[in-house]
Amino acid sequence: MENFDDEELLIENGIDPESDADGQLYEHLRLEVDRGQVPLRIDKYLTEHTQHSSRNRIQQAAEAGFLFVNDRPVKSNYKVRSGDVITLKLDRPHFDTTIEPEDIPLDVRYEDDDLMVIFKPAGMVVHPGCGNFHGTLVHAIAWHLRNLPSYDPNDPQVGLVHRIDKDTSGLLVVAKTPEAKSDLGKQFFKHDTHRSYVALVWGNFVEDEGRIEGNIGRDPKDRLRMEVFPPDSETGKPAVTHYRVLERYGYTTLVECVLETGRTHQIRAHMKHIGHPLFADERYGGDQILRGERTASYKAYIQNCFRLCPRQALHARTLGFVHPTTGQQMDFTSDLPEDLSGLIDKWRGYFKNRNNEIS
């Protein structure tokens, strides 16, 4: 008998169930339908063949696109047949019980007996899984804390409290104790934390600031991408992003984004939804020339920009939370990494030269 992950259990263990992920799906359940099985709705079948799994929760998994039969997504009314292979794939990995410490450099910005705040560079995978079973951030954390007897990297009650995408840089908080993770996990779940991101997006904004609201769920046509649905729809989860223009470069804009919720790919999906994909974001179409001129020199300039920052131009700049033991407000800020700061400088120079030519 198997069991489905339960959101309340995640919260109790201090894991933010809304935290950013990399868009991958991780297999949590696989079973083959017995020979001689008469056709039966999959939600009913799984309720009878799994532990701690309500029919409603199975239906939610199917609606979210996480339930597959023979590697094809199905709805909860699908009738299983003899020989069908059922898999449940979620957007968070199983806790790998074989994580071993690996000597990987770790950029620690703050540390005490309860927690530490670290900076994750772009390109580093957070959790092992699906082709990335070594060299991840959790392996680096395990090495850094290898001499701490109370820290077990295979224990879900300690460790990372939230996540950011592989190609997003920025700050993350790690809990060293179960008590710290439980407290921090609840803060993230209740949206009591503060997180702001810096993003370079395509296009110019009419307003200096704004609010984006729209449910976020998996794109039925591309399982690695998220889609935005109407706020009053039953598809996806509610999501709100606040943005503020920092600088304008004519064809691109530097914005600050503050998360009111923390859905998978939230900023990337919301910005694409309002017509401003993140610069160089391959998953959401930002790796194409979406604004600007048709000249060969401009095309060459954009290609140079893509080479300078070959990933979505997104950085988790600030992180704020209440310390789980002292009760003090903790606020951290990280400078932009070289690739993103270099890209912004390049756009500043281009915009300045363009304005000089016009004037």
Side-chain angles (χ1 to χ4, degrees), residues 3 52 99 103 137 160 247 252 266 272 306 311 319:
N3 69 283
H52 313 301
I99 293 174
D103 188 2
L137 187 62
L160 281 164
E247 294 183 46
T252 60
Q266 178 170 320
K272 176 178 174 57
F306 287 153
R311 49 105 173 185
L319 174 62

Side-chain angles (χ1 to χ4, degrees), residues 131-294:
N132 297 289
F133 298 105
H134 299 283
T136 72
L137 187 62
V138 296
H139 290 96
I141 294 169
W143 178 269
H144 182 81
L145 299 177
R146 66 191 184 281
N147 295 323
L148 184 63
S150 61
Y151 187 85
D152 180 0
N154 299 300
D155 183 357
Q157 295 186 85
V158 294
L160 281 164
V161 182
H162 59 127
R163 294 171 284 172
I164 55 178
D165 296 341
K166 171 188 174 183
D167 289 326
T168 298
S169 55
L171 297 172
L172 292 166
V173 62
V174 179
K176 293 183 177 182
T177 68
E179 295 77 16
K181 189 162 188 183
S182 177
D183 186 282
L184 290 168
K186 290 175 182 176
Q187 289 186 52
F188 274 86
F189 181 69
K190 294 178 180 178
H191 316 308
D192 292 333
T193 58
H194 175 82
R195 286 178 287 171
S196 72
Y197 291 69
V198 172
L200 182 70
V201 303
W202 280 104
N204 197 5
F205 286 81
V206 175
E207 306 292 340
D208 289 334
E209 57 185 33
R211 180 179 186 271
I212 310 170
E213 181 176 6
N215 290 8
I216 291 181
R218 201 162 295 280
D219 186 339
K221 298 179 181 178
D222 184 347
R223 310 311 302 167
L224 298 181
R225 188 169 63 187
M226 307 305 287
E227 184 64 79
V228 179
F229 301 92
D232 57 352
S233 70
E234 296 182 357
T235 305
K237 294 182 178 180
V240 176
T241 302
H242 301 269
Y243 69 85
R244 179 172 64 92
V245 171
L246 299 177
E247 294 183 46
R248 300 174 187 271
Y249 309 125
Y251 303 135
T252 60
T253 304
L254 187 68
V255 297
E256 176 189 49
C257 295
V258 176
L259 298 181
E260 190 172 308
T261 54
R263 310 304 185 190
T264 300
H265 293 185
Q266 178 170 320
I267 294 173
R268 300 166 68 186
H270 267 172
M271 283 297 168
K272 176 178 174 57
H273 179 66
I274 64 171
H276 297 283
L278 268 62
F279 189 85
D281 190 347
E282 179 181 4
R283 183 76 61 201
Y284 291 89
D287 61 338
Q288 306 296 318
I289 301 178
L290 302 180
R291 302 286 193 283
E293 305 165 11
R294 298 183 178 180

